[in-house]
């Protein structure tokens, strides 16, 4: 009779124990919160597009041409300009012949709208002979608003005039993000 | 094992996006039923020590309020780049132009000019002696100057002339008289050699009496130009009449 009583008590105890494990887990007085830090990264993307041929026709000097180019950059950037010949150069006799010059210089004016966060314009003016060594404009803290424009104005021919023939020049524009 | 401490664990496990990926988030934790402590796994994870429990299982469990196992799960993604990102770019403008060939010799309103010596003096006095009678008294000359001559490309200067000749057709003793007055032309101007970019030097060359034409080639040049016409006294007496000859200069691009 005593053994039977003991066995019953164990079962009850087990039942109590399992009930204890189902107690509510919230402890009143403790606040709970959830802070989630969300991070991401946007890759710097800088893109330059455009270019092509600009034909002045008969070179008389004092001619002006404007061209737009595509520019997008979501970080501050440097944009560089470099001339291959320092001006429109005679294709076979860039040094000229006799008193006739073989190169016609020009002035390059650049205007690029930026956001910093106010709207601003990144501008520069260069003589073509100074562009043989690359020249760079920096946007500071600004990013590109979109697009850019160059204006090329040819000088008056030096000396007695220009040597007859074909003239050519290559102007390279390069873009690099500044991170 | 209170919920409060589990939530504090979630705050510490911050969500970050991998810079290299397009941004898929698939991570969480579960208090493993066997291990008794939270097991963390990240997408698309292999769970250490919890075989058979995938991120998908954990995500589903985290939405199951009747589950026997506590878990949280975060799932999401950001869009990938549309188009390729670039760190640099370049644009090239090619400028072109041309200069037309132009050669010039300024002669005013006409390319033909007449230079009249008027009277070509002869010894008309019988007292001049038989050797001199009817002979030309002295040489005649004329200098023709133009201050604009040249060409902006390689060129050739060509001088052509015809001797002065009398229009008298009455016949004459050719052993005594001549009906021609030959002359020489000397051209002087500043030009350089072909294909030379050096400073030009003064050129002076002569088309001699009796020679009909001669030419010289140069690189581009531009300078004043003079043509010196020199009519020497012939040895013979001069036939009467009107004498006429020509000198022409042609500067043409090669």
């Amino acid at each position: 009779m005593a053994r039977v009583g003991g066995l019953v008590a164990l079962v009850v105890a087990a039942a109590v124990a399992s009930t204890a494990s189902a107690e509510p887990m919230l402890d009143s007085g403790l606040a709970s919160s959830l802070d989630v830090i969300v991070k991401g990264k946007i890759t710097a993307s800088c893109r330059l597009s455009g270019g092509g041929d600009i034909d002045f026709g008969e070179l008389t000097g004092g001619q002006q041409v404007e061209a737009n180019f595509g520019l997008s950059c979501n970080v501050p950037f440097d944009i560089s300009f470099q001339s291959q010949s320092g001006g429109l150069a005679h294709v076979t006799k860039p040094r000229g012949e006799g008193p006739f010059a073989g190169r016609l210089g020009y002035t390059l004016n650049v205007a690029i709208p930026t956001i910093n966060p106010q709207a601003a314009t990144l501008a520069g003016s260069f003589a073509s002979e100074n562009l043989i060594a690359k020249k760079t404009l920096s946007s500071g803290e600004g990013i590109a608003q979109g697009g850019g424009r160059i204006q090329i104005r040819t000088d008056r021919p030096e000396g007695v005039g220009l040597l007859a023939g074909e003239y050519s020049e290559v102007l390279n524009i390069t873009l690099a993000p500044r991170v | 094992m209170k919920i409060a401490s589990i939530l504090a664990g979630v705050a510490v496990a911050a969500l970050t996006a991998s810079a290299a990926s397009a941004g898929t988030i698939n991570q969480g934790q579960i208090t493993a039923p066997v291990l008794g402590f939270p097991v963390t796994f990240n997408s698309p994870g292999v769970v250490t020590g919890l075989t058979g429990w995938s991120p998908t299982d954990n995500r589903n469990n985290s939405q199951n309020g009747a589950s026997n196992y506590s878990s949280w799960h975060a799932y999401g993604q950001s869009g990938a780049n549309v188009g390729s990102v670039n760190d640099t770019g370049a644009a090239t403008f090619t400028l072109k132009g041309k200069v037309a060939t132009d050669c010039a010799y300024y002669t005013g309103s006409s390319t033909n000019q007449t230079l009249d010596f008027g009277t070509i003096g002869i010894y008309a006095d019988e007292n001049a002696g038989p050797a001199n009678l009817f002979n030309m008294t002295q040489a005649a000359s004329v200098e023709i100057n133009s201050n604009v001559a040249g060409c902006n490309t390689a060129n050739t200067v060509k001088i052509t002339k015809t001797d002065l000749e009398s229009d008298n057709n009455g016949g004459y003793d050719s052993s005594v008289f001549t009906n021609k007055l030959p002359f020489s032309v000397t051209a002087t101007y500043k030009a350089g050699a072909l294909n030379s970019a050096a400073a030009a030097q003064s050129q002076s060359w002569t088309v001699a009496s009796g020679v009909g034409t001669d030419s010289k080639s140069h690189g581009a040049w531009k300078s004043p130009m003079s043509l010196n016409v020199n009519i020497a006294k012939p040895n013979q007496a001069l036939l009467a009449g009107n004498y006429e000859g020509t000198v022409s200069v042609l500067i043409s691009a090669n």
Side-chain angles (χ1 to χ4, degrees), chain A residues 25 27 32 34-41 43-48 50-59 67 88 93 96-100 106 150 152 160 162-177, chain B residues 1-4 7-8 10-12 14-17 19 25 70 81 83-102 150-154 193-200 218-222:
Chain A
M25 296 203 210
D27 190 321
S32 65
L34 174 64
D35 295 320
V36 178
I37 301 166
V38 179
K39 287 197 221 177
K41 180 179 161 134
T43 310
S45 176
C46 285
R47 189 185 291 266
L48 188 63
D53 290 354
I54 297 177
D55 192 348
F56 286 91
E58 183 72 22
L59 292 175
L88 281 122
K93 295 176 182 175
E97 187 172 67
F100 292 93
Y106 59 85
I150 58 168
I152 295 171
V160 302
L162 289 170
L163 192 62
E166 303 286 327
Y167 286 71
S168 180
E169 154 77 309
V170 175
L171 177 65
N172 285 310
I173 306 177
T174 52
L175 180 68
Chain B
M1 283 212 334
K2 296 191 171 123
I3 288 179
L7 289 172
V10 170
V12 169
L15 310 170
T16 59
I25 296 169
S70 299
N81 286 324
S84 59
V85 294
N86 285 318
D87 281 343
T88 59
T92 298
F93 288 92
T94 301
L95 280 54
K96 293 180 184 170
K98 58 182 183 294
V99 174
T101 296
D102 184 29
C151 205
N152 68 353
T153 188
L194 274 173
N195 300 316
S196 167
H218 304 285
W221 65 275
K222 179 176 168 180

Side-chain angles (χ1 to χ4, degrees), chain B residues 140-225:
Chain B
S141 66
V142 61
E143 187 175 276
I144 306 162
N145 289 315
S146 174
N147 68 353
V148 177
C151 205
N152 68 353
T153 188
N155 60 93
T156 298
V157 178
K158 184 175 179 182
I159 294 172
T160 306
K161 59 187 177 61
T162 58
D163 294 335
L164 283 89
E165 187 169 329
S166 170
D167 62 355
N168 186 336
N169 294 320
Y172 59 95
D173 179 357
S174 59
S175 65
V176 175
F177 285 91
T178 179
N179 69 340
K180 281 190 169 49
L181 279 172
F183 59 93
S184 65
V185 176
T186 299
T188 304
Y189 53 96
K190 201 169 174 186
L194 274 173
N195 300 316
S196 167
Q201 302 298 317
S202 185
Q203 305 278 327
S204 187
W205 51 282
T206 301
V207 186
S209 280
V211 175
T213 184
D214 200 359
S215 62
K216 286 275 186 293
S217 289
H218 304 285
W221 65 275
K222 179 176 168 180
S223 90
M225 183 176 189

Side-chain angles (χ1 to χ4, degrees), chain B residues 30 53 56-65 67 69-71:
Chain B
I30 181 170
W53 191 252
T56 303
D57 293 330
N58 196 63
R59 183 182 174 200
N60 292 336
N61 188 71
S62 69
Q63 300 171 66
N64 180 4
S67 169
Y69 310 111
S70 299
S71 70

Side-chain angles (χ1 to χ4, degrees), chain A:
Chain A
M1 179 77 71
R3 279 186 190 168
V4 172
L7 188 64
V8 168
L10 188 65
V11 169
V12 168
V16 169
S18 61
T19 303
S21 72
E23 278 174 8
M25 296 203 210
L26 273 172
D27 190 321
S28 66
L30 279 178
S32 65
S33 64
L34 174 64
D35 295 320
V36 178
I37 301 166
V38 179
K39 287 197 221 177
K41 180 179 161 134
I42 297 176
T43 310
S45 176
C46 285
R47 189 185 291 266
L48 188 63
S49 64
D53 290 354
I54 297 177
D55 192 348
F56 286 91
E58 183 72 22
L59 292 175
T60 57
Q63 296 155 292
Q64 183 168 299
V65 162
E66 294 186 359
N68 292 324
F69 55 92
L71 168 63
S72 64
C73 200
N74 61 358
V75 293
F77 59 91
D78 289 337
I79 185 163
S80 300
F81 303 87
Q82 188 161 25
S83 156
Q84 186 179 81
S85 308
L88 281 122
H90 194 279
V91 293
T92 56
K93 295 176 182 175
R95 296 175 62 188
E97 187 172 67
F100 292 93
R103 189 174 73 178
L104 181 63
Y106 59 85
T107 300
L108 172 70
N109 291 313
V110 179
I112 299 167
T114 60
I115 305 171
N116 191 14
Q118 287 80 26
T121 301
L122 176 62
S125 183
F126 308 98
S128 56
E129 45 268 33
N130 294 334
L131 286 174
I132 294 180
K134 188 189 285 192
K135 290 289 184 292
T136 300
L137 291 174
S138 177
S139 72
E141 295 300 315
I143 65 170
Q145 199 179 112
R149 169 170 281 197
I150 58 168
Q151 179 197 77
I152 295 171
R153 185 158 22 91
T154 56
D155 299 339
R156 293 288 172 192
E158 293 175 352
V160 302
L162 289 170
L163 192 62
E166 303 286 327
Y167 286 71
S168 180
E169 154 77 309
V170 175
L171 177 65
N172 285 310
I173 306 177
T174 52
L175 180 68
R178 211 164 19 84
V179 292

